[in-house]
Amino acid sequence: MTATPPEPPDPRLLPVRRHVEHADTDASGVMHFARYPALLEVALLANLERLGVGLGVLAREGYDLVITEATTRYRAPARYPDELSLRPVVGHLGAARARVDTTIQRAADGAELAIGSLVVALTDRVTGAPRALLPALHAALKESRSDVRR
């Protein structure tokens, strides 16, 4: 009897679920505006890890992942203890940078709470010099482009 090889991971960027924690909120239970960019990063990093090109892999190859731009548009407040659905898509992919656009929704009713983008690039871990995207990272993001918004 031969073993069946494991299925490769779904190449798309998949939604990530997170709860609004009490520490994320102000005194009225509304999530602080500064927490939204961190959620964009959570969605990106969870997917990179799942696709086999997470921070540990990049570090072993001599790269640091850096965020060169972050934008967020707020639509409605997230509140403690909402469960959030973070839905990332590859919005742009170049040789040296990628933009990942993420919609943050309340999981219970699908209400759009915020949309945001992170532009990421790589730098050399030793010198800090900019580098082209690692081929494995570029390939993983290219494969995910089926979700690009038009």
Side-chain angles (χ1 to χ4, degrees):
M1 190 170 185
T2 60
T4 305
E7 290 286 321
D10 188 328
R12 296 171 297 150
L13 298 184
L14 299 178
V16 174
R17 296 278 178 121
R18 287 292 183 269
H19 279 92
V20 175
E21 301 294 334
H22 188 266
D24 296 329
T25 67
D26 60 18
S28 62
V30 173
M31 190 164 77
H32 191 273
F33 74 92
R35 296 298 300 142
Y36 290 84
L39 291 175
L40 305 178
E41 185 179 34
V42 164
L44 171 63
L45 295 180
N47 274 283
L48 293 182
E49 196 66 37
R50 185 182 58 77
L51 294 170
V53 288
L55 295 179
V57 170
L58 296 174
R60 282 191 298 279
E61 294 291 326
Y63 296 93
D64 282 325
L65 183 73
V66 296
I67 295 172
T68 63
E69 183 178 330
T71 60
T72 308
R73 289 187 183 171
Y74 305 96
R75 305 280 193 226
R79 297 178 182 278
Y80 174 80
D82 286 344
E83 182 180 21
L84 306 176
S85 178
L86 318 174
R87 301 181 170 276
V89 296
V90 177
H92 171 76
L93 179 61
R97 291 189 187 147
R99 189 187 76 239
V100 176
D101 303 321
T102 301
T103 301
I104 299 173
Q105 296 174 301
R106 189 172 24 254
D109 61 7
E112 186 177 281
L113 305 178
I115 56 172
S117 297
L118 296 178
V119 176
V120 296
L122 295 180
T123 60
D124 183 284
R125 284 185 69 88
V126 174
T127 67
R131 295 289 182 235
L133 294 179
L134 183 69
L137 174 60
H138 194 277
L141 293 174
K142 184 176 181 182
E143 193 70 18
S144 298
R145 285 184 62 91
S146 63
D147 286 344
V148 171
R149 294 179 191 161
R150 302 258 182 241

